Amino acid sequence: MQTSSALRSFAEDPPAWGEIDPRSGLTRVLTDHYCLLFGSSPTTTLVSRLRLDPEAVPEAIHEVREEIARHEHREAVWRVGSSATPVDLVDRLTAHGFVPADRPGHEPHLTSMVLTEEPPPVDGVEARRIDSAAELQLASTISAAAFGEEEDEADWDMRFVSERAGHTPRMYLAFVDGAPVGAARALVEADCPAVMLISGGVLAEARGRGAYRALVRARWDDAVAAGQPALVVHAGAMSRPILERLGFRVAAEHEVLLDPATC
């Protein structure tokens, strides 16, 4: 099935789509030249949907750095997609001191992928959306362990209320033999052409048993229920082969750079 231009565009640059709910903890600056997304943490700073004139690249870098400082953020990650301009933008950014984003939690290359056909069910694995604050905390703990990150501290009751109200991404758990082994998130927005998959991870000792695939299927089922039978994801080196086997197709490639001047 051919991917629509809107779906392909969304897959490449999802932060530039839809409305940003202030209760989500996100703030967006969207111009004709770039999309700047600030997360609730000052180190969550993403620059994407880059449409720059060649002679305006230095000016854009300066403008984005000023905006980041104004929001008291840091560690800006620039995601340069297939549609970014100018075509040699990565080289130009590198000449300004940018480096590949290979710090923990980042990968220097990502692939936007799209799924528009039903993935197969997974026998012997239960995957579903969390149903309590305790499960939200459990899923966050599993996700941190799977990605080698520090465990989050939060008011889990408040976060669960926000998750259930749709102010933050949906959180999912996967169980093998009744034991929770995987976690993932999904962004379901009515004004976007697909559901965005975020950070699916499985504990090392449970990999290869279908938990990751089951988490994809659970989110597909929710996408269908929401009237959006399509999934998009930014895949890293580990997840891309699995997603390809599930039927995901490449929509765009990204070089991911860190701006040390913001660190």
Side-chain angles (χ1 to χ4, degrees), residues 37-205:
L37 190 69
F38 299 103
S40 55
S41 165
T43 60
T44 305
T45 313
L46 177 64
V47 188
S48 62
R49 199 189 168 279
L50 293 152
R51 306 290 188 269
L52 309 179
D53 295 328
E55 63 275 12
V57 171
E59 178 185 349
I61 294 172
H62 177 71
E63 183 178 315
V64 168
R65 286 172 175 170
E66 284 195 330
E67 196 71 48
I68 290 168
R70 189 172 71 83
H71 283 81
E72 299 183 339
H73 268 239
R74 59 184 188 273
E75 298 186 21
V77 172
W78 290 54
R79 190 176 292 163
V80 184
S82 300
S83 302
T85 60
V87 293
D88 62 345
L89 182 56
V90 170
D91 292 337
R92 291 172 182 267
L93 294 176
T94 300
H96 283 272
F98 286 53
V99 296
D102 55 5
R103 294 184 174 186
H106 296 288
E107 291 190 45
H109 186 87
L110 295 173
T111 303
S112 289
M113 307 186 77
V114 175
L115 181 70
T116 55
E117 298 180 0
E118 180 181 358
V122 182
D123 295 332
V125 181
E126 178 190 8
R128 57 169 174 78
R129 189 178 177 186
I130 54 102
D131 62 12
S132 67
E135 284 198 345
L136 177 58
Q137 182 177 9
L138 173 61
S140 298
T141 299
I142 290 173
S143 183
F147 288 102
E149 301 171 351
E150 292 187 10
E151 188 172 346
D152 200 5
E153 294 183 9
D155 182 333
W156 296 108
D157 289 328
M158 182 178 297
R159 281 202 178 183
F160 178 66
V161 170
S162 184
E163 189 270 357
R164 247 356 190 213
H167 302 152
T168 58
R170 299 183 184 186
M171 182 69 92
Y172 297 77
L173 277 169
F175 302 82
V176 173
D177 296 332
V181 299
R185 293 182 293 162
L187 186 64
V188 183
E189 296 287 351
D191 51 0
C192 293
V195 167
M196 178 74 188
L197 306 190
I198 308 172
S199 65
V202 178
L203 297 177
E205 62 271 20

Side-chain angles (χ1 to χ4, degrees), residues 226-245:
Q228 299 166 286
L231 302 178
V232 301
V233 64
H234 285 173
M238 182 178 294
S239 59
R240 176 172 175 169
I242 303 171
L243 294 166
E244 286 179 332
R245 290 195 294 270

Side-chain angles (χ1 to χ4, degrees), residues 246-260:
L246 289 175
F248 281 79
R249 301 185 307 280
V250 173
E253 303 285 356
H254 304 261
E255 300 303 322
V256 188
L257 302 176
L258 178 70
D259 179 8

